[in-house]
Amino acid sequence: QVQLVESGGGVVQPGGSLRLSCAASGFNFNKYGMHWVRQAPGKGLEWVAFIRLDGSDEYYADSVKGRFTVSRDNSKKMLILEMNSLGAEDTAVYYCAKDLGAAGIIFDHWGPGTLVTVSS
Amino acid sequence: EIVLTQSPDFQSVTPKEKVTITCRASQSIGSNVHWYQQKPGQSPKLLITYASQSFSGVPSRFSGSGSGTDFTLTINSLEAEDAATYYCHRSNSLPYTFGQGTKLEIK
């Protein structure tokens, strides 16, 4: 079955950087777009970034554009999120999510998430 | 940016009750609305796609309807395990936003 497992979260100082990873298994990783979605403590869901199945295109929420970069390694079935210039507003659980693969953008499977805390 | 507004924000309900959660878009988005369930301490799970299509494995008591700007998630004969926060989400255009969530408490 589909499994997504995020890693790389932790505590980082304001202005710092962090690299999140998501290991995928149980499906043909190179046939699906992938997303990052985050959830600040006690808050709702916020879509962060999307990368197409072949890595040809990336899309970002305005709140992270220019600071975050999504990438993927299809040979390793890995999704990456590079985060720079982190601020308190980036504190959240970051989820890796698989796209349903239909014409629309739908998150059909999610990982358990990894917590990023930006604090001095 | 198209905004999704859910109502109510919170609802306390009894088992076997029928529950209706609404999601209103600030402009027409066709049927590009999907619903997710998030139980405490867990990641979200997909329930409904394109306003009314049940995702694989979702219990039949969950159903969705609507198009344009007004969408509804209905839970028939609520069960204790349905205690969760429910989110609508739109996929018609960037950015792919969510509603603020509706928390269901089971009495």
Side-chain angles (χ1 to χ4, degrees), chain B residues 10-102:
Chain B
F10 175 85
Q11 191 169 4
S12 185
V13 292
T14 56
K16 299 188 179 180
E17 195 174 328
K18 177 180 175 179
V19 172
T20 299
I21 298 170
T22 64
C23 175
R24 176 162 289 175
S26 57
Q27 55 185 277
S28 181
I29 55 175
S31 297
N32 295 295
V33 162
H34 322 287
W35 290 93
Y36 302 83
Q37 175 195 63
Q38 185 178 31
K39 295 182 180 180
Q42 296 185 18
S43 52
K45 288 182 168 57
L46 179 62
L47 295 175
I48 302 288
T49 66
Y50 295 107
S52 61
Q53 299 176 23
S54 293
F55 185 58
S56 174
V58 174
S60 59
R61 62 182 181 276
F62 292 93
S63 63
S65 64
S67 66
T69 60
D70 294 304
F71 302 87
T72 300
L73 174 70
T74 300
I75 311 175
N76 283 300
S77 193
L78 192 80
E79 298 189 6
E81 67 181 28
D82 299 333
T85 299
Y86 293 84
Y87 295 94
C88 59
H89 151 239
R90 64 171 190 84
S91 61
N92 62 302
S93 64
L94 285 162
Y96 306 119
T97 52
F98 293 86
Q100 81 277 16
T102 294

Side-chain angles (χ1 to χ4, degrees), chain A residues 20-44:
Chain A
L20 305 184
S21 299
C22 171
S25 61
F27 66 103
N28 289 327
F29 184 71
N30 59 5
K31 293 191 184 303
Y32 294 92
M34 295 293 296
H35 301 266
W36 289 98
V37 179
R38 68 184 180 182
Q39 186 170 36
K43 302 296 184 183

Side-chain angles (χ1 to χ4, degrees), chain A residues 29-34 50-60 69-74 79:
Chain A
F29 184 71
N30 59 5
K31 293 191 184 303
Y32 294 92
M34 295 293 296
F50 168 64
I51 185 168
R52 292 199 183 278
L53 56 89
D54 58 0
S56 58
D57 278 309
E58 307 150 29
Y59 303 89
Y60 299 93
T69 302
V70 60
S71 61
R72 62 191 297 162
D73 184 336
N74 284 351
L79 179 71

Side-chain angles (χ1 to χ4, degrees), chain A residues 56-112:
Chain A
S56 58
D57 278 309
E58 307 150 29
Y59 303 89
Y60 299 93
D62 286 345
S63 58
V64 307
K65 202 173 293 182
R67 301 188 298 122
F68 289 13
T69 302
V70 60
S71 61
R72 62 191 297 162
D73 184 336
N74 284 351
S75 66
K76 296 182 179 178
K77 298 186 178 182
M78 194 74 70
L79 179 71
I80 304 295
L81 186 68
E82 302 271 6
M83 304 186 296
N84 298 313
S85 302
L86 287 163
E89 68 278 9
D90 297 313
T91 293
V93 173
Y94 284 74
Y95 297 103
C96 157
K98 172 185 167 293
D99 192 82
L100 181 61
I105 299 292
I106 304 171
F107 319 111
D108 68 341
H109 289 87
W110 302 60

